[in-house]
C-alpha cells in the first residue's frame, strides 16, 4: 500500500495532538458555578464568554454573563440596547434556561461597596470626596479589583446557576488576580495607616500626633501633591477607616472563590505566536496559583478544503501558467519531441499548416495580422491567469496554515496536558444570537473547519 508523500510529510511534521476539550459536560455540570474566560486583548474572550453563556442557558441553566468590554459588542450580539451594572435578561433564547448579561460599571461598583459598608452619613462624605472620586474612576488596578468584587457579589446572591466572566484585557497577564492584593495592600499600607492614625487616636492624643508626626510629612507631601489634595486624602482615609478591613477580607474571599472546585478557567487565544506565548504564561501562572484550568480555546483557526495541494506545488503550477516557456504547454510539441522518428535528429519538425491552427482562418493573410492588437489576450490565456491567481491565493493559505500548525505544536509540546478546542476564523464578526449559537456549536463539537 503506497503512502501519499504530502500526507506523510504533514504527518511527520505534526506532534501528538493535544487532548480535546469538551465544553458541554463542563456547562452541564451543576457543580460548575463560575467560568472565567481569560487571555490577552483581541483574541475573542467576549465572544467566547457570550457563546458559552448562551449555550449553557439553552441547555437549561440560569446564567449571567459579566463582561468588562467597553466596546459593547456583547450587548449588540444579544439584542440589548445597552448593558450596565445590573443584569439584563436576554430575549430570544431557546430551551428552559435563562440568560442575563451585564457590563461592569467600575465606579458604580465601588460606590456600592462604600454604601454597603458605611452608614449613610459617612458614605455620603466618602462619595463626595474628590480623592475618592479620582480613586474610584482611575486608580491602577481598580477595574480588575471591581470585576472580582462584582463576581463576589453575584456569587453571594446565589441567584445564578452559572456565572461566566469575561475578564478585562490586561497589559500584564492575570492582572485581575493581582488587583485585589494590590488594592488591599494599598488600603492597608503604611501610608494609609499613618494617615488614619490621628482619627483612630482621637481627642488631644490625636491632635498631638497630628501636630508632631504629621507636620513633617505634611510639609513634604504638600509640596508633592498640593495642600488641597493632601487634605482630601486625609479626609478620605478618615471616613474610610471602618471599611478598610472589608476590602482585604473580601479580596481574600474572592481569591479563594477562584480557587474553589466550582470554578473553571478557560484560556482564550489565537493561533499566533504572541497570543500563544501569552496563553502559555497564563497556563503557568494559573498552575502556580492553584487555579482550576480546564483548557484552551483557540479562536480564528484557518482551514482549507484542499490540503492535499501543498503551497510549493500550487506556486509551481502558477508559475507554469504565467510563464509558458518554463514548461511546454502545447500537447503537439510533446508528441513530436517524443516521437521515435525525430528523437536524436537534428531536423526540426515541419511547421504546422496554418489551416490547422485554431486561432487562424485559412484565408488570413498579412493584412489580417496587422489588424490584431498585440495586447489582446485569448480566452485561454485569461483563464490561465485567473487560475494562477487562485493557485497563489491557495499557496498563501497553506503557508498560513503551516505557520499556525507550528505555533500550536510549540504550545502543545510545552503544555501537553492542556485540553484544546479550536474555533474557525469566520468571515465576519458575530453580531446576533444566531452567530453566538454557531460559535457555541463549534466549541462543543470541536470542529474548526468552515461549513
Amino acid at each position: 500500500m503506497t503512502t501519499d508523500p504530502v500526507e506523510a510529510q504533514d504527518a511527520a511534521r505534526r506532534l501528538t495532538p493535544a487532548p480535546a476539550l469538551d465544553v458541554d459536560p463542563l456547562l452541564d455540570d451543576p457543580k460548575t458555578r463560575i467560568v472565567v474566560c481569560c487571555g490577552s486583548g483581541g483574541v475573542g474572550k467576549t465572544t467566547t464568554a457570550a457563546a458559552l453563556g448562551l449555550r449553557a442557558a439553552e441547555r437549561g441553566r440560569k446564567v449571567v454573563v459579566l463582561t468588562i468590554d467597553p466596546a459593547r459588542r456583547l450587548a449588540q450580539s444579544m439584542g440589548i440596547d445597552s448593558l450596565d451594572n445590573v443584569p439584563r435578561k436576554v430575549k430570544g433564547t431557546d430551551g428552559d434556561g435563562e440568560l442575563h448579561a451585564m457590563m461592569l460599571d467600575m465606579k458604580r461598583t465601588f460606590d456600592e461597596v462604600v454604601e454597603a459598608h458605611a452608614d449613610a452619613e459617612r458614605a455620603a462624605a466618602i462619595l463626595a470626596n474628590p480623592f475618592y472620586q479620582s480613586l474610584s474612576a482611575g486608580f491602577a488596578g481598580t477595574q480588575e479589583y471591581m470585576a472580582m468584587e462584582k463576581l463576589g457579589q453575584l456569587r453571594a446572591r446565589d441567584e445564578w446557576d452559572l456565572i461566566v466572566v469575561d475578564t478585562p484585557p490586561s497589559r500584564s497577564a492575570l492582572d485581575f488576580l493581582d488587583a485585589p492584593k494590590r488594592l488591599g495592600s494599598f488600603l492597608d499600607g503604611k501610608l494609609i495607616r499613618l494617615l488614619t492614625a490621628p482619627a483612630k487616636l482621637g481627642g488631644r492624643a490625636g491632635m498631638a500626633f497630628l501636630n508632631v508626626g504629621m507636620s513633617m510629612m505634611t510639609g513634604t507631601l504638600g509640596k508633592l501633591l498640593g495642600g488641597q489634595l493632601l487634605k482630601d486624602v486625609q479626609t478620605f482615609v478618615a471616613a474610610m477607616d471602618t471599611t478598610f478591613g472589608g476590602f482585604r477580607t473580601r479580596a481574600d474571599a474572592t481569591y479563594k472563590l477562584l480557587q474553589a472546585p466550582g470554578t473553571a478557567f478557560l484560556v482564550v487565544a489565537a493561533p499566533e505566536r504572541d497570543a500563544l506565548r501569552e496563553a502559555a504564561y497564563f497556563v503557568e501562572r494559573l498552575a502556580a496559583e492553584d487555579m482550576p484550568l480546564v483548557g484552551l480555546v483557540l479562536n480564528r483557526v484557518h482551514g482549507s478544503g484542499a490540503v492535499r495541494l501543498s503551497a510549493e506545488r500550487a506556486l509551481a503550477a502558477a508559475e507554469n501558467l504565467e510563464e509558458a516557456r518554463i514548461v511546454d504547454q502545447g500537447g503537439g510539441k510533446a508528441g513530436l519531441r517524443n516521437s521515435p522518428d525525430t528523437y536524436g535528429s537534428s531536423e526540426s519538425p515541419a511547421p504546422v499548416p496554418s489551416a490547422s491552427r485554431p486561432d487562424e482562418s485559412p484565408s488570413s493573410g498579412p493584412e489580417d495580422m496587422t489588424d490584431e492588437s498585440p495586447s489582446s489576450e485569448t480566452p485561454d490565456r485569461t483563464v490561465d491567469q485567473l487560475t494562477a491567481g487562485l493557485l497563489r491565493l491557495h499557496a498563501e493559505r497553506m503557508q498560513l496554515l503551516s505557520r499556525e500548525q507550528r505555533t500550536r505544536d510549540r504550545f502543545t509540546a510545552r503544555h501537553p496536558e492542556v485540553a484544546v478546542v479550536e474555533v474557525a476564523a469566520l468571515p465576519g464578526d458575530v453580531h446576533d444570537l444566531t452567530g453566538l449559537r454557531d460559535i457555541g456549536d463549534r466549541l462543543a463539537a470541536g470542529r474548526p473547519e468552515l461549513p
Side-chain angles (χ1 to χ4, degrees), residues 300-419:
R300 301 168 189 164
V301 176
H302 292 86
S304 174
V307 293
R308 293 176 63 86
L309 179 59
S310 67
E312 293 78 10
R313 292 168 62 187
L315 286 174
E319 290 172 357
N320 286 339
L321 289 171
E322 292 172 337
E323 298 289 341
R325 289 173 296 178
I326 295 179
V327 176
D328 291 335
Q329 302 294 319
K333 291 183 180 181
L336 289 172
R337 184 171 58 246
N338 296 327
S339 171
D341 297 334
T342 59
Y343 185 80
S345 173
S346 60
E347 297 180 1
S348 300
V352 180
S354 59
S356 65
R357 298 179 185 176
D359 56 346
E360 295 182 13
S361 63
S363 61
S364 62
E367 303 83 27
D368 299 323
M369 297 296 291
T370 57
D371 293 337
E372 183 178 354
S373 172
S375 61
S376 64
E377 296 181 346
T378 65
D380 289 345
R381 184 59 183 156
T382 302
V383 171
D384 288 349
Q385 289 178 332
L386 289 174
T387 305
L390 292 174
L391 286 168
R392 290 189 179 279
L393 286 175
H394 175 76
E396 292 177 3
R397 171 57 67 95
M398 295 306 297
Q399 290 168 348
L400 175 61
L401 265 61
S402 180
R403 287 196 301 272
E404 291 184 354
Q405 183 65 53
R406 289 196 301 270
T407 305
R408 292 197 296 271
D409 285 348
R410 285 197 293 270
F411 178 88
T412 302
R414 187 172 180 179
H415 298 287
E417 77 287 355
V418 177

Side-chain angles (χ1 to χ4, degrees), residues 27 32-33 53 56-65 89 96-100 157-164:
L27 298 178
T32 302
R33 303 298 302 274
E58 293 187 337
R59 295 175 71 85
R61 304 197 72 182
K62 188 176 182 181
V63 186
V64 60
V65 178
K89 187 174 181 179
D96 298 329
E98 293 182 12
L99 177 62
H100 297 72
R157 289 164 60 180
D158 203 24
E159 183 179 351
W160 317 98
D161 295 337
L162 179 65
I163 302 170
V164 182

Side-chain angles (χ1 to χ4, degrees), residues 134-174:
S134 175
L135 173 69
S136 61
F139 182 76
T142 303
Q143 184 186 49
E144 289 84 358
Y145 176 84
M146 288 304 149
M148 295 301 99
E149 182 77 36
K150 179 57 68 175
L151 171 60
Q153 291 176 6
L154 292 172
R155 184 66 183 87
R157 289 164 60 180
D158 203 24
E159 183 179 351
W160 317 98
D161 295 337
L162 179 65
I163 302 170
V164 182
V165 183
D166 166 34
T167 58
S170 301
R171 200 172 37 176
S172 175
L174 299 182

Side-chain angles (χ1 to χ4, degrees), residues 2 118 168:
T2 59

Side-chain angles (χ1 to χ4, degrees), residues 8-54:
Q9 184 180 5
D10 290 344
R13 190 166 52 229
R14 293 191 186 96
L15 298 177
T16 302
L21 173 62
D22 192 353
V23 301
D24 278 349
L26 174 70
L27 298 178
D28 294 343
D29 188 352
K31 295 180 181 178
T32 302
R33 303 298 302 274
I34 298 173
V35 173
V36 182
C37 297
C38 56
S40 55
V43 296
K45 291 195 308 296
T46 301
T47 301
T48 299
L52 290 171
L54 175 62

